[in-house]
Amino acid sequence: LDPNSKPRSLIVSRIGVSSPSSHRPFHVEPTNIVSVNDDMQRVTDEAAAMNKRIHYYSRLTSPSDRALMAPDHVLPALEEIYVYSPLGTAFKVDGCTDGYGKNSSLVTIFMIWNTMLGTSILSIPWGIKQAGFTTGIVIILLMGILTLYCCYRVLKSRTMIPLIDTSSWEFPDVCKYYFGAFGQWSSLLFSMVSLIGAMVVYWVLMSNFLFNTGKFIYNYVHNINVTDIVSGTNDSNRVICPGDASEEQPGNKSMLFLSANDTGFELFEEWWNKSQTVPLYLIVVLLPLLNLKSPSFFAKFNVLGTISVIYLVLLVTFKAVRLGFHLEFAWFTLDEFFVPEFRLSFPQLTGVLTLAFFIHNCVITLLKNNKKQENNVRDLSIAFFLVGLTYLYVVVLIFAAFPSPPLSKECIEQNFLDNFPSNDVMAFIARMFLLFQMMTVYPLLGYLARVQLLGHIFGNVYPSIFHVLGLNIAIVGLGVTIARFYPNIGGIIRYSGATCGLAFVFVYPSLIYMVSQYRAGQLTWLGLTVHVFIILLGVVNLIAQFLM
């Protein structure tokens, strides 16, 4: 045990992992620590001697031989191990012992499905509109296959390292092995991009959902019947066309149809504004939660993510049955109500999908808990298939059922729930579920950002309340600023997805495969060409986001 090390939480993330096995050959019990101060920890002579003896025994066999390694019961207990997927979910996982897990294949598949699915599902219908219906469906299939293969390369990356026991390693550890300090710090950079991007999207969406939820409750309590001043259908299943998000935000102004206190209603709308005031109200609740030392309480609400996704699927199904299908296929001709089947703006969809299919940072951790390790590749493939199927189901129904005419498919919003008015009961329930779920996941993401940044800079995840408060104010301030001036979640998702995906989906898995094969003398021209092409796809995907 490093005598200068300090206790820290065990975090699974893009920049590294600390597991029980990484503390081998043994763990110094607290009774053997003779003095503790802010600078260092000193151990007794007895503990130091034990450390030397076990180091000596370890060298009597090869590094892969586990016979002389200290048993797990003398290692630090698992305290807080979290996995997360940007815009998916973050949750606490039970540890496993050196790759021998306790979960069945069914549970493992569901965990991967549950971790990947999240709020990106709200923007994929908009991405389909940007690409064209047929082109979008093909892109979803191809991106699913490509990200699955890159995830497979991540899963196999540990096994390609010879003569070292990598059973406790995560993918960032593999990156550090191949690329040294550059791999470690570049992992930190891209990880922070994904985390901060996810937290910004969450703030924009929470502002949206809180605004519409508050508006629904106010109108219901005061028996006010309002309709949004936007174009839309006039039947009982009203669908609206709020317009470009850069224009005045949908639902901020309403037309009164029943008698009510006009002054009170106008005052409410002045103080309950989606872009000007509501993002500020969230600070009162969320900033204190970000400063908690441990977010373990919020991990108990992970089931809300599953409930939210299932409810969204049911909502989409119900709306599609009531609205019917409205499709017309045209490849190059322009139409007032429909979009072409192919559009040059299709990279906007690939940017969104890079984050929608992202699980690469924690796939090794999730599959470590699989009871039958030989089924890992099969279970991973099934999980990706189910995620892709869920995306396709929601996308096809939303796009096909969108009422064109009288509305144009161009009206599909970056958050498809914005196409339903604030007084829609089913949309209100969906927004309320998602709001509460995001408010529980947001502190977890903030905790991971704190661990990654402050832990690397100061060697302590909670150096002081002032350090933590300063970081959290910066993160919250960025979220509030974006929510007020650029509330386009589709744009934020595709930028952050293409950026962090460049490293963790396209570049690192391919580079590690090529380097390992080259060192083993097994690199072929076909393998080199394929993986260089994958890297180029990631680079083009990122560049294209800034040209759309």
Side-chain angles (χ1 to χ4, degrees):
L1 184 68
D2 182 0
N4 293 324
S5 66
K6 297 182 179 180
R8 63 186 64 185
S9 298
L10 307 179
I11 299 297
V12 175
S13 67
R14 288 187 178 80
I15 61 166
V17 64
S18 178
S19 70
S21 299
S22 66
H23 288 280
R24 296 186 186 278
F26 80 107
H27 170 55
V28 179
E29 294 295 332
T31 55
N32 283 329
I33 299 177
V34 295
S35 68
V36 179
N37 55 47
D38 293 336
D39 298 322
M40 63 176 295
Q41 295 178 356
R42 296 194 301 244
V43 299
T44 63
D45 292 338
E46 178 186 359
M50 184 188 301
N51 185 25
K52 292 179 181 179
R53 283 197 298 272
I54 297 183
H55 269 297
Y56 170 75
Y57 293 146
S58 300
R59 290 190 172 97
L60 295 179
T61 61
S62 66
S64 60
D65 191 343
R66 310 173 60 82
L68 293 177
M69 298 184 76
D72 288 323
H73 69 270
V74 300
L75 300 175
L78 291 170
E79 296 173 357
E80 293 178 351
I81 299 183
Y82 294 89
V83 298
Y84 79 98
S85 175
L87 305 187
T89 189
F91 63 95
K92 188 175 181 179
V93 296
D94 296 326
C96 61
T97 304
D98 304 324
Y100 297 94
K102 60 183 179 181
N103 293 333
S104 65
S105 290
L106 183 62
V107 172
T108 301
I109 291 169
F110 174 76
M111 287 181 65
I112 297 175
W113 176 86
N114 185 42
T115 306
M116 289 178 68
L117 286 176
T119 52
S120 55
I121 199 172
L122 299 174
S123 291
I124 297 181
W126 167 81
I128 287 285
K129 177 199 73 175
Q130 298 301 102
F133 183 66
T134 303
T135 304
I137 298 299
V138 173
I139 288 177
I140 291 178
L141 295 175
L142 293 178
M143 284 294 293
I145 294 172
L146 178 59
T147 52
L148 170 60
Y149 174 74
C150 294
C151 201
Y152 166 77
R153 292 264 60 97
V154 170
L155 184 62
K156 292 297 183 181
S157 61
R158 297 183 305 163
T159 63
M160 296 186 294
I161 299 176
L163 303 178
I164 297 178
D165 178 19
T166 59
S167 60
S168 64
W169 285 25
E170 298 292 331
F171 187 58
D173 299 310
V174 179
C175 294
K176 185 177 180 180
Y177 171 83
Y178 282 102
F179 309 121
F182 173 79
Q184 178 183 5
W185 289 103
S186 60
S187 297
L188 172 63
L189 174 63
F190 288 108
S191 179
M192 290 302 297
V193 168
S194 69
L195 271 174
I196 301 302
M199 295 182 74
V200 168
V201 172
Y202 271 42
W203 202 275
V204 174
L205 286 173
M206 286 188 294
S207 301
N208 181 309
F209 297 149
L210 179 60
F211 168 79
N212 284 287
T213 301
K215 186 176 179 181
F216 178 92
I217 294 173
Y218 180 89
N219 292 340
Y220 180 81
V221 169
H222 293 83
N223 195 28
I224 297 175
N225 183 18
V226 299
T227 183
D228 300 302
I229 306 181
V230 289
S231 59
T233 58
N234 295 318
D235 54 15
S236 57
N237 293 287
R238 180 171 166 79
V239 178
I240 61 176
C241 181
D244 194 317
S246 62
E247 300 172 2
E248 182 154 8
Q249 293 302 303
N252 271 347
K253 290 188 176 180
S254 303
M255 183 176 293
L256 195 61
F257 279 88
L258 295 181
S259 59
N261 188 333
D262 291 350
T263 303
F265 185 76
E266 291 175 358
L267 186 64
F268 168 76
E269 293 222 318
E270 179 182 352
W271 287 96
W272 196 254
N273 186 289
K274 181 160 65 175
S275 61
Q276 300 300 317
T277 60
V278 174
L280 298 173
Y281 298 154
L282 287 171
I283 299 177
V284 178
V285 178
L286 293 177
L287 185 57
L289 297 181
L290 286 176
N291 295 311
L292 297 178
K293 285 192 174 183
S294 173
S296 56
F297 170 77
F298 301 102
K300 303 178 187 297
F301 297 96
N302 178 56
V303 68
L304 291 176
T306 305
I307 296 175
S308 299
V309 172
I310 293 175
Y311 183 80
L312 279 177
V313 171
L314 294 177
L315 180 148
V316 168
T317 304
F318 177 82
K319 293 292 185 181
V321 170
R322 298 296 299 270
L323 294 170
F325 281 6
H326 307 267
L327 286 174
E328 183 175 301
F329 297 93
W331 282 93
F332 303 107
T333 58
L334 296 178
D335 189 279
E336 180 182 358
F337 299 107
F338 299 92
V339 297
E341 298 303 301
F342 173 80
R343 306 181 78 178
L344 291 176
S345 54
F346 71 88
Q348 296 184 4
L349 175 61
T350 62
V352 172
L353 291 175
T354 305
L355 211 57
F357 281 110
F358 195 92
I359 194 69
H360 303 62
N361 64 313
C362 59
V363 65
I364 292 177
T365 303
L366 292 174
L367 289 173
K368 274 182 184 178
N369 279 324
N370 200 355
K371 185 180 298 183
K372 296 183 178 180
Q373 292 290 295
E374 64 274 14
N375 293 337
N376 279 348
V377 175
R378 183 201 67 182
D379 296 345
L380 179 65
S381 303
I382 294 175
F384 262 80
F385 172 77
L386 293 177
V387 169
L389 192 64
T390 305
Y391 287 150
L392 284 173
Y393 182 83
V394 171
V395 161
V396 169
L397 290 189
I398 286 292
F399 190 90
F402 195 84
S404 302
L407 302 180
S408 169
K409 298 290 187 184
E410 291 285 359
C411 291
I412 297 177
E413 289 291 296
Q414 296 187 17
N415 168 12
F416 74 78
L417 288 178
D418 283 343
N419 288 115
F420 301 110
S422 58
N423 60 353
D424 187 300
V425 176
M426 292 192 69
F428 161 74
I429 296 174
R431 291 174 178 127
M432 188 171 60
F433 264 125
L434 288 168
L435 174 63
F436 190 61
Q437 183 230 345
M438 290 180 186
M439 292 182 71
T440 59
V441 173
Y442 190 84
L444 293 175
L445 296 178
Y447 178 68
L448 294 175
R450 181 207 314 169
V451 168
Q452 293 185 8
L453 189 60
L454 299 186
H456 273 69
I457 295 177
F458 299 102
N460 189 336
V461 301
Y462 207 97
S464 74
I465 182 61
F466 300 105
H467 291 83
V468 174
L469 183 61
L471 174 64
N472 292 334
I473 288 176
I475 293 175
V476 168
L478 180 62
V480 171
T481 302
I482 298 298
R484 293 192 64 182
F485 301 106
Y486 188 77
N488 302 323
I489 65 166
I492 304 169
I493 291 174
R494 66 187 180 92
Y495 286 127
S496 59
T499 302
C500 70
L502 174 65
F504 293 103
V505 177
F506 299 105
V507 174
Y508 284 158
S510 299
L511 274 182
I512 288 173
Y513 173 79
M514 290 188 289
V515 171
S516 63
Q517 292 296 98
Y518 176 78
R519 291 179 179 178
Q522 298 175 354
L523 182 62
T524 63
W525 281 107
L526 177 61
L528 178 65
T529 303
V530 169
H531 291 87
V532 168
F533 179 70
I534 291 175
I535 293 175
L536 291 177
L537 284 179
V539 174
V540 171
N541 183 41
L542 176 60
I543 295 175
Q545 305 308 317
F546 297 92
L547 302 178
M548 295 293 106

